[in-house]
PDB file of all heavy atoms in Angstrom:
ATOM      1  N   TYR F 141     -67.930 -41.280 -14.778  1.00 94.00           N
ATOM      2  CA  TYR F 141     -66.517 -41.675 -14.848  1.00 94.00           C
ATOM      3  C   TYR F 141     -66.106 -41.803 -16.307  1.00 94.00           C
ATOM      4  O   TYR F 141     -66.942 -41.983 -17.188  1.00 94.00           O
ATOM      5  CB  TYR F 141     -66.249 -42.988 -14.118  1.00 94.00           C
ATOM      6  CG  TYR F 141     -66.809 -44.211 -14.630  1.00 94.00           C
ATOM      7  CD1 TYR F 141     -66.239 -44.762 -15.832  1.00 94.00           C
ATOM      8  CD2 TYR F 141     -67.843 -44.877 -14.048  1.00 94.00           C
ATOM      9  CE1 TYR F 141     -66.757 -46.010 -16.340  1.00 94.00           C
ATOM     10  CE2 TYR F 141     -68.369 -46.078 -14.627  1.00 94.00           C
ATOM     11  CZ  TYR F 141     -67.853 -46.599 -15.728  1.00 94.00           C
ATOM     12  OH  TYR F 141     -68.318 -47.792 -16.260  1.00 94.00           O
ATOM     13  N   ILE F 142     -64.840 -41.635 -16.522  1.00 95.00           N
ATOM     14  CA  ILE F 142     -64.149 -41.781 -17.868  1.00 95.00           C
ATOM     15  C   ILE F 142     -63.017 -42.747 -17.713  1.00 95.00           C
ATOM     16  O   ILE F 142     -62.299 -42.774 -16.784  1.00 95.00           O
ATOM     17  CB  ILE F 142     -63.722 -40.387 -18.325  1.00 95.00           C
ATOM     18  CG1 ILE F 142     -64.843 -39.406 -18.511  1.00 95.00           C
ATOM     19  CG2 ILE F 142     -62.943 -40.537 -19.628  1.00 95.00           C
ATOM     20  CD1 ILE F 142     -64.353 -37.980 -18.686  1.00 95.00           C
ATOM     21  N   LEU F 143     -62.924 -43.610 -18.763  1.00 94.00           N
ATOM     22  CA  LEU F 143     -61.795 -44.541 -18.885  1.00 94.00           C
ATOM     23  C   LEU F 143     -60.852 -44.051 -19.930  1.00 94.00           C
ATOM     24  O   LEU F 143     -61.326 -43.826 -21.069  1.00 94.00           O
ATOM     25  CB  LEU F 143     -62.319 -45.947 -19.188  1.00 94.00           C
ATOM     26  CG  LEU F 143     -63.179 -46.651 -18.133  1.00 94.00           C
ATOM     27  CD1 LEU F 143     -63.703 -47.948 -18.699  1.00 94.00           C
ATOM     28  CD2 LEU F 143     -62.460 -46.838 -16.835  1.00 94.00           C
ATOM     29  N   MET F 144     -59.632 -43.828 -19.548  1.00 93.00           N
ATOM     30  CA  MET F 144     -58.624 -43.362 -20.552  1.00 93.00           C
ATOM     31  C   MET F 144     -57.275 -44.016 -20.380  1.00 93.00           C
ATOM     32  O   MET F 144     -57.043 -44.678 -19.328  1.00 93.00           O
ATOM     33  CB  MET F 144     -58.517 -41.812 -20.394  1.00 93.00           C
ATOM     34  CG  MET F 144     -57.754 -41.434 -19.135  1.00 93.00           C
ATOM     35  SD  MET F 144     -57.666 -39.690 -18.956  1.00 93.00           S
ATOM     36  CE  MET F 144     -59.270 -39.357 -18.164  1.00 93.00           C
ATOM     37  N   GLU F 145     -56.473 -43.889 -21.371  1.00 90.00           N
ATOM     38  CA  GLU F 145     -55.141 -44.422 -21.329  1.00 90.00           C
ATOM     39  C   GLU F 145     -54.297 -43.767 -20.240  1.00 90.00           C
ATOM     40  O   GLU F 145     -54.346 -42.539 -20.038  1.00 90.00           O
ATOM     41  CB  GLU F 145     -54.450 -44.200 -22.660  1.00 90.00           C
ATOM     42  CG  GLU F 145     -53.069 -44.650 -22.816  1.00 90.00           C
ATOM     43  CD  GLU F 145     -52.463 -44.240 -24.146  1.00 90.00           C
ATOM     44  OE1 GLU F 145     -53.084 -43.505 -24.930  1.00 90.00           O
ATOM     45  OE2 GLU F 145     -51.343 -44.711 -24.466  1.00 90.00           O
ATOM     46  N   ASP F 146     -53.531 -44.612 -19.545  1.00 91.00           N
ATOM     47  CA  ASP F 146     -52.567 -44.070 -18.522  1.00 91.00           C
ATOM     48  C   ASP F 146     -51.221 -43.816 -19.221  1.00 91.00           C
ATOM     49  O   ASP F 146     -50.593 -44.751 -19.756  1.00 91.00           O
ATOM     50  CB  ASP F 146     -52.351 -45.103 -17.384  1.00 91.00           C
ATOM     51  CG  ASP F 146     -51.458 -44.617 -16.266  1.00 91.00           C
ATOM     52  OD1 ASP F 146     -50.914 -43.475 -16.424  1.00 91.00           O
ATOM     53  OD2 ASP F 146     -51.219 -45.404 -15.391  1.00 91.00           O
ATOM     54  N   LEU F 147     -50.868 -42.569 -19.272  1.00 85.00           N
ATOM     55  CA  LEU F 147     -49.643 -42.127 -19.951  1.00 85.00           C
ATOM     56  C   LEU F 147     -48.402 -42.145 -19.105  1.00 85.00           C
ATOM     57  O   LEU F 147     -47.276 -41.825 -19.536  1.00 85.00           O
ATOM     58  CB  LEU F 147     -49.802 -40.740 -20.539  1.00 85.00           C
ATOM     59  CG  LEU F 147     -50.951 -40.583 -21.622  1.00 85.00           C
ATOM     60  CD1 LEU F 147     -51.081 -39.116 -22.006  1.00 85.00           C
ATOM     61  CD2 LEU F 147     -50.663 -41.439 -22.884  1.00 85.00           C
ATOM     62  N   SER F 148     -48.550 -42.481 -17.820  1.00 82.00           N
ATOM     63  CA  SER F 148     -47.415 -42.227 -16.884  1.00 82.00           C
ATOM     64  C   SER F 148     -46.250 -43.088 -17.160  1.00 82.00           C
ATOM     65  O   SER F 148     -45.123 -42.770 -16.783  1.00 82.00           O
ATOM     66  CB  SER F 148     -47.952 -42.535 -15.451  1.00 82.00           C
ATOM     67  OG  SER F 148     -48.377 -43.887 -15.290  1.00 82.00           O
ATOM     68  N   THR F 149     -46.390 -44.278 -17.859  1.00 81.00           N
ATOM     69  CA  THR F 149     -45.272 -45.123 -18.098  1.00 81.00           C
ATOM     70  C   THR F 149     -44.265 -44.431 -19.034  1.00 81.00           C
ATOM     71  O   THR F 149     -43.013 -44.526 -18.786  1.00 81.00           O
ATOM     72  CB  THR F 149     -45.739 -46.440 -18.722  1.00 81.00           C
ATOM     73  OG1 THR F 149     -46.617 -47.072 -17.810  1.00 81.00           O
ATOM     74  CG2 THR F 149     -44.554 -47.361 -18.939  1.00 81.00           C
ATOM     75  N   ASP F 150     -44.759 -43.781 -20.139  1.00 85.00           N
ATOM     76  CA  ASP F 150     -43.904 -43.250 -21.144  1.00 85.00           C
ATOM     77  C   ASP F 150     -43.798 -41.760 -21.124  1.00 85.00           C
ATOM     78  O   ASP F 150     -42.993 -41.161 -21.864  1.00 85.00           O
ATOM     79  CB  ASP F 150     -44.322 -43.712 -22.525  1.00 85.00           C
ATOM     80  CG  ASP F 150     -44.330 -45.200 -22.714  1.00 85.00           C
ATOM     81  OD1 ASP F 150     -43.320 -45.885 -22.253  1.00 85.00           O
ATOM     82  OD2 ASP F 150     -45.232 -45.792 -23.298  1.00 85.00           O
ATOM     83  N   CYS F 151     -44.656 -41.086 -20.317  1.00 91.00           N
ATOM     84  CA  CYS F 151     -44.695 -39.691 -20.404  1.00 91.00           C
ATOM     85  C   CYS F 151     -44.438 -39.021 -19.068  1.00 91.00           C
ATOM     86  O   CYS F 151     -44.606 -39.661 -17.984  1.00 91.00           O
ATOM     87  CB  CYS F 151     -46.090 -39.208 -20.859  1.00 91.00           C
ATOM     88  SG  CYS F 151     -46.543 -39.767 -22.494  1.00 91.00           S
ATOM     89  N   LYS F 152     -44.040 -37.723 -19.088  1.00 92.00           N
ATOM     90  CA  LYS F 152     -43.900 -36.886 -17.902  1.00 92.00           C
ATOM     91  C   LYS F 152     -44.609 -35.554 -18.248  1.00 92.00           C
ATOM     92  O   LYS F 152     -44.574 -35.142 -19.344  1.00 92.00           O
ATOM     93  CB  LYS F 152     -42.475 -36.694 -17.508  1.00 92.00           C
ATOM     94  CG  LYS F 152     -41.576 -36.048 -18.524  1.00 92.00           C
ATOM     95  CD  LYS F 152     -40.162 -35.879 -18.053  1.00 92.00           C
ATOM     96  CE  LYS F 152     -39.493 -37.271 -17.861  1.00 92.00           C
ATOM     97  NZ  LYS F 152     -38.083 -37.156 -17.427  1.00 92.00           N
ATOM     98  N   ASP F 153     -45.192 -34.947 -17.209  1.00 94.00           N
ATOM     99  CA  ASP F 153     -45.887 -33.679 -17.488  1.00 94.00           C
ATOM    100  C   ASP F 153     -44.806 -32.532 -17.488  1.00 94.00           C
ATOM    101  O   ASP F 153     -43.724 -32.732 -16.913  1.00 94.00           O
ATOM    102  CB  ASP F 153     -47.017 -33.472 -16.552  1.00 94.00           C
ATOM    103  CG  ASP F 153     -46.653 -33.144 -15.121  1.00 94.00           C
ATOM    104  OD1 ASP F 153     -45.914 -32.113 -14.917  1.00 94.00           O
ATOM    105  OD2 ASP F 153     -47.022 -33.875 -14.178  1.00 94.00           O
ATOM    106  N   PHE F 154     -45.174 -31.447 -18.069  1.00 96.00           N
ATOM    107  CA  PHE F 154     -44.189 -30.380 -18.251  1.00 96.00           C
ATOM    108  C   PHE F 154     -43.826 -29.709 -16.934  1.00 96.00           C
ATOM    109  O   PHE F 154     -42.777 -29.000 -16.889  1.00 96.00           O
ATOM    110  CB  PHE F 154     -44.759 -29.381 -19.279  1.00 96.00           C
ATOM    111  CG  PHE F 154     -44.499 -29.760 -20.693  1.00 96.00           C
ATOM    112  CD1 PHE F 154     -45.144 -30.831 -21.285  1.00 96.00           C
ATOM    113  CD2 PHE F 154     -43.586 -28.968 -21.466  1.00 96.00           C
ATOM    114  CE1 PHE F 154     -44.859 -31.126 -22.610  1.00 96.00           C
ATOM    115  CE2 PHE F 154     -43.365 -29.295 -22.787  1.00 96.00           C
ATOM    116  CZ  PHE F 154     -43.972 -30.379 -23.359  1.00 96.00           C
ATOM    117  N   SER F 155     -44.639 -29.835 -15.926  1.00 96.00           N
ATOM    118  CA  SER F 155     -44.270 -29.239 -14.608  1.00 96.00           C
ATOM    119  C   SER F 155     -42.973 -29.911 -14.098  1.00 96.00           C
ATOM    120  O   SER F 155     -42.126 -29.261 -13.446  1.00 96.00           O
ATOM    121  CB  SER F 155     -45.360 -29.360 -13.568  1.00 96.00           C
ATOM    122  OG  SER F 155     -45.620 -30.730 -13.223  1.00 96.00           O
ATOM    123  N   VAL F 156     -42.807 -31.168 -14.388  1.00 94.00           N
ATOM    124  CA  VAL F 156     -41.607 -31.924 -13.998  1.00 94.00           C
ATOM    125  C   VAL F 156     -40.412 -31.374 -14.725  1.00 94.00           C
ATOM    126  O   VAL F 156     -39.320 -31.188 -14.232  1.00 94.00           O
ATOM    127  CB  VAL F 156     -41.789 -33.433 -14.208  1.00 94.00           C
ATOM    128  CG1 VAL F 156     -40.513 -34.170 -13.871  1.00 94.00           C
ATOM    129  CG2 VAL F 156     -42.923 -33.966 -13.334  1.00 94.00           C
TER     130      VAL F 156
END
Side-chain angles (χ1 to χ4, degrees):
Y141 70 74
I142 297 170
L143 297 174
M144 72 183 83
E145 177 186 9
D146 182 1
L147 298 174
S148 60
T149 301
D150 299 318
C151 297
K152 60 182 65 177
D153 71 61
F154 274 69
S155 68
V156 175

